[in-house]
């Protein structure tokens, strides 16, 4: 039985060769999430209109079609949210035994599982990521973070042996658009487990699942004010960060805004954790299993359209196998399916916004202008929506912008090295230090590299693997503080 047909639209008569892209029938996800036409702010357990009555539009970046109106929260709304959080902290959540708090977190985790399909579709529609990722990664991981932290809620006395731990009170959190619900879970689950109440601002292009999370809080019977979601843009985020009631703030986003936040909080008592950009090196030694490495490299950079702070955007390959790795990568690149994010076969979905597409396009042009050798897949892109071809640059040198700046798109820059020392020197030669990958047959080399690389996470013979029990965070301009694990939870506690 013929199940698929190779795509060779320019020359249908040509014989199929290994590596051709087999075209599948469309396999769209059909679940229609329950979406409202208008989303209000979630403050004190209720959905309320913004005080100034302003709304902005959220669109589907895969089609450019409007999805809903989203409330634009202002300073007065942030103030109401912070006051509601403070009241919930002093009257209900703070005094509540950890065991009881844990029950709410378990309930939220289970409700996220119950609503997983609806949330996955909403996430894909609003943010552009392929449905197979929101379904198989974002949603299960978001629920896992609530499960993991639910388990900690009644064990806080064991977090730091012999020391007292206490919550901060009201925590202000600002998150980006690349993993909207997952970043919310990374922020809210540990904060609540530790006994804090939160005011969270989602990113302006992806507020939908955060506001839908308000509905989950209602369904879980979470006491009003424990979680507040205030949508809006940068100004709303700044109001959350700078509000006098937020005694701890957590931010994930660009290094530029991270620096701004540090400056605005200098001299205040506020505690702060920042998770910023990255320019990770994925290092392939000549003794690596090359097929596995190629899959890992592809996953490392093209996962979520490269909208990943720990994306393996710089590939360092040992010179003796560079030609072979490049040939295999080019072959694999040609078989990646780019297109409708809601299609279950799609590997690479839509770029999150027109602005981000512009940034990626500009940096890729700079790569060509500076003399790197560009390889792009020849796939057809949809006529509407924001899409970018998976792109591979060879003959990149350390001085090229594509080797130095965070592109945050499906663009891989390949460099070569001769010795382990040269690989370390090149990998660490960046202002960032979030993550790195090492591909080799030798365990001893993995251990050596993991101590020499200045990166918060070092993956070995794999890439982009996450677990709620495993702390994540950076060195240098990638930020400070950890998320996940015991270390991440400690960042939400005053340790006496
Ligand atoms: P951004 O840093 O401006 O946005 C992240 C979040 O911060 C959003 O919720 C935004 O509304 C908020 N924000 C913006 N200005 C603020 C301020 N002054 N005070 C408080 N909150 C503020 O990131 P943007 O502009 O969306 O993306 C620019 C670049 O940043 C990307 O191209 C990428 O390189 C990097 N980025 C890194 C992320 C990461 O996970 N580390 C996530 C998103 C972007
Ligand atoms: Mg910005």
């Amino acid at each position: 039985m013929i199940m698929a047909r190779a795509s060779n639209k320019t020359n249908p008569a040509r014989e199929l060769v290994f590596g051709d892209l087999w075209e599948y029938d469309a396999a769209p996800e059909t679940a229609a999430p329950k979406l409202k036409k208008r989303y209000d702010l979630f403050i004190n357990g209720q959905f309320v209109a913004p005080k100034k009555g302003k709304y902005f539009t959220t669109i589907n970046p895969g089609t450019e079609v409007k999805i809903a109106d989203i409330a634009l929260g202002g300073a007065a709304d942030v103030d109401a949210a912070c006051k509601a959080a403070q009241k919930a902290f002093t009257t209900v959540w703070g005094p509540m035994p950890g065991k009881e708090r844990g029950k709410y977190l378990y309930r939220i985790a289970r409700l996220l599982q119950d609503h997983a399909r609806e949330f996955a579709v909403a996430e894909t529609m609003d943010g552009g990521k392929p449905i197979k990722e929101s379904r198989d990664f974002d949603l299960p991981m978001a629920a896992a973070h609530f499960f993991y932290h639910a388990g900690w809620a009644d064990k806080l006395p064991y977090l730091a042996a012999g020391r007292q731990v206490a919550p901060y009170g009201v925590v202000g959190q600002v998150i980006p658009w690349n993993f909207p619900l997952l970043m919310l879970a990374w922020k809210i689950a540990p904060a609540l487990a530790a006994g804090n109440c939160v005011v969270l601002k989602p990113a302006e292009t992806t507020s939908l699942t955060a506001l839908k999370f308000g509905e989950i809080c209602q369904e879980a019977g979470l006491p009003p004010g424990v979680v507040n979601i205030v949508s809006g843009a940068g100004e709303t985020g700044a109001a959350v960060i700078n509000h006098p009631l937020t005694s701890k703030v957590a931010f994930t986003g660009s290094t530029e805004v991270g620096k701004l936040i540090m400056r605005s909080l200098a001299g205040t008592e506020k505690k702060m954790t920042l998770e910023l950009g990255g320019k990770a090196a994925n290092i392939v030694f000549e003794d690596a299993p090359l097929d596995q490495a190629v899959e890992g490299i592809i996953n490392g950079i093209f996962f979520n359209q490269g909208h990943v702070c720990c994306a393996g955007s710089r590939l360092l390959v040992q010179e003796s196998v560079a030609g072979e790795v490049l040939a295999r990568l080019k072959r694999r690149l040609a078989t990646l399916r780019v297109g409708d994010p809601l299609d279950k076969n799609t590997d690479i979905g839509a770029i999150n916004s027109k602005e981000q597409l512009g940034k990626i396009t500009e940096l890729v042009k700079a790569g060509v202008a500076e003399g790197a050798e560009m390889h792009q897949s020849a796939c057809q892109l949809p006529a509407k929506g924001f899409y970018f071809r998976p792109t591979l640059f060879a003959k990149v040198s350390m001085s090229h912008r594509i080797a130095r700046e965070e592109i945050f798109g499906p663009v891989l820059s390949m460099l070569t090295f001769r010795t382990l020392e040269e690989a370390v020197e090149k990998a660490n030669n960046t202002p960032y230090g979030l993550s790195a990958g090492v591909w080799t047959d030798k365990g001893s080399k993995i251990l050596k590299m993991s101590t020499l690389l200045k990166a918060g996470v070092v993956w070995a013979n794999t890439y982009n693997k996450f677990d709620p029990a495993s702390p994540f965070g950076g060195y240098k301009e990638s930020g400070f503080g950890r998320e996940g694990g015991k270390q991440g939870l400690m960042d939400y506690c005053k340790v006496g």
Side-chain angles (χ1 to χ4, degrees):
M1 186 173 68
I2 297 175
M3 297 179 61
R5 159 172 72 80
S7 141
N8 186 11
K9 290 184 177 135
T10 43
N11 181 8
R14 184 173 70 81
E15 262 187 46
L16 300 182
V17 294
F18 174 74
D20 268 346
L21 179 62
W22 288 74
E23 213 172 74
Y24 298 149
D25 273 348
E29 167 61 64
T30 48
K34 280 179 236 137
L35 295 180
K36 295 187 278 190
K37 286 212 154 52
R38 200 184 75 189
Y39 280 86
D40 284 319
L41 308 168
F42 184 65
I43 297 176
N44 204 28
Q46 300 295 326
F47 285 95
V48 295
K51 289 195 189 337
K52 285 196 170 161
K54 286 192 185 156
Y55 290 82
F56 60 97
T57 299
T58 193
I59 63 160
N60 178 338
T63 58
E64 298 176 57
V65 172
K66 174 178 169 176
I67 303 175
D69 286 316
I70 307 283
L72 179 65
D77 302 300
V78 170
D79 186 53
C82 288
K83 284 180 176 147
Q86 178 71 16
K87 181 156 175 259
F89 175 68
T90 49
T91 60
V92 196
W93 200 247
M96 190 185 285
K99 197 170 123 198
E100 296 305 310
R101 281 203 313 272
K103 288 181 190 168
Y104 285 104
L105 290 172
Y106 277 121
R107 216 173 283 163
I108 290 172
R110 283 196 303 269
L111 284 168
L112 281 176
Q113 289 183 322
D114 290 349
H115 294 275
R117 192 165 177 207
E118 180 191 338
F119 267 77
V121 177
E123 196 76 313
T124 284
M125 287 173 67
D126 202 25
K129 66 175 63 198
I131 186 68
K132 72 175 175 196
E133 276 175 24
S134 43
R135 181 195 63 198
D136 300 344
F137 181 73
D138 296 61
L139 259 294
M141 282 301 284
H145 270 265
F146 279 98
F147 276 120
Y148 173 79
H149 288 96
W152 266 115
D154 63 348
K155 299 173 193 71
L156 297 177
Y158 307 101
L159 193 59
R163 299 173 74 185
Q164 292 288 322
V165 299
Y168 282 104
V170 181
V171 173
Q173 305 175 318
V174 176
I175 57 170
W177 39 263
N178 50 347
F179 294 93
L181 185 74
L182 184 57
M183 286 302 110
L184 172 149
W186 278 29
K187 296 270 182 295
I188 292 185
L192 297 196
N196 303 284
C197 294
V198 309
V199 177
L200 177 136
K201 195 206 76 74
E204 46 272 48
T205 54
T206 54
S207 315
L208 215 57
T209 48
L211 292 165
K212 278 179 73 61
F213 182 79
E215 297 168 0
I216 296 276
C217 294
Q218 287 180 330
E219 208 177 329
L222 192 71
V226 174
V227 167
N228 304 275
I229 313 283
V230 184
S231 43
E235 264 182 47
T236 318
V240 170
I241 300 281
N242 293 309
H243 195 282
L245 282 177
T246 53
S247 46
K248 188 231 147 75
V249 299
F251 171 79
T252 298
S254 61
T255 298
E256 181 196 349
V257 173
K259 287 181 180 174
L260 239 154
I261 290 175
M262 273 191 89
R263 275 198 289 273
S264 73
L265 296 188
T268 72
E269 293 262 283
K270 290 190 199 218
K271 290 282 175 252
M272 143 180 50
T273 44
L274 303 176
E275 200 262 276
L276 310 171
K279 193 72 192 173
N282 214 345
I283 305 165
V284 180
F285 286 99
E286 60 191 358
D287 58 9
L290 292 189
D291 278 333
Q292 270 179 49
V294 165
E295 271 314 296
I297 295 160
I298 293 281
N299 168 48
I301 183 64
F302 298 123
F303 174 53
N304 200 25
Q305 295 72 248
H307 295 338
V308 187
C309 45
C310 52
S313 55
R314 287 184 300 156
L315 171 63
L316 303 184
V317 185
Q318 198 151 18
E319 217 171 71
S320 49
V321 291
E324 183 58 30
V325 169
L326 180 61
R328 293 190 200 197
L329 276 174
K330 277 161 62 181
R331 217 151 57 206
R332 185 68 181 91
L333 200 71
T335 61
L336 289 171
R337 286 163 205 285
V338 186
D340 180 6
L342 277 172
D343 191 308
K344 292 169 194 161
N345 293 320
T346 294
D347 297 313
I348 300 185
I351 300 302
N352 182 262
S353 66
K354 200 172 180 179
E355 290 68 37
Q356 190 59 27
L357 181 59
K359 185 186 160 185
I360 298 167
T361 309
E362 195 265 320
L363 273 160
V364 165
K365 276 190 188 147
V368 175
E370 287 184 321
E373 181 186 289
M374 184 174 78
H375 304 276
Q376 280 186 325
S377 99
C379 58
Q380 285 195 329
L381 300 183
K384 275 291 224 185
F386 314 130
Y387 293 91
F388 198 83
R389 283 176 207 291
T391 302
L392 164 63
F393 277 107
K395 303 206 169 84
V396 177
S397 79
M398 286 296 288
S399 60
H400 290 164
R401 282 181 67 201
I402 50 169
R404 310 200 67 80
E405 295 179 30
E406 186 177 44
I407 302 176
F408 229 62
V411 183
L412 178 64
S413 301
M414 179 170 159
L415 298 95
T416 57
F417 67 90
R418 287 188 180 165
T419 61
L420 181 146
E421 290 71 26
E422 189 188 347
V424 171
E425 152 67 27
K426 283 186 168 163
N428 287 343
N429 186 351
T430 162
Y432 298 111
L434 196 53
S435 59
V438 178
W439 298 83
T440 168
D441 204 21
K442 305 270 179 304
S444 55
K445 214 185 268 177
I446 291 171
L447 293 174
K448 182 166 185 178
M449 291 297 286
S450 69
T451 51
L452 292 173
L453 291 169
K454 292 283 165 271
V457 180
V458 179
W459 284 293
N461 294 331
T462 186
Y463 208 86
N464 276 339
K465 281 274 180 285
F466 293 90
D467 190 283
S470 173
F472 181 87
Y475 274 72
K476 302 191 277 186
E477 290 192 16
S478 291
F480 46 81
R482 293 292 177 263
E483 295 190 287
K486 193 175 152 180
Q487 294 80 354
L489 187 57
M490 292 264 267
D491 281 332
Y492 282 97
C493 300
K494 285 190 232 173
V495 181

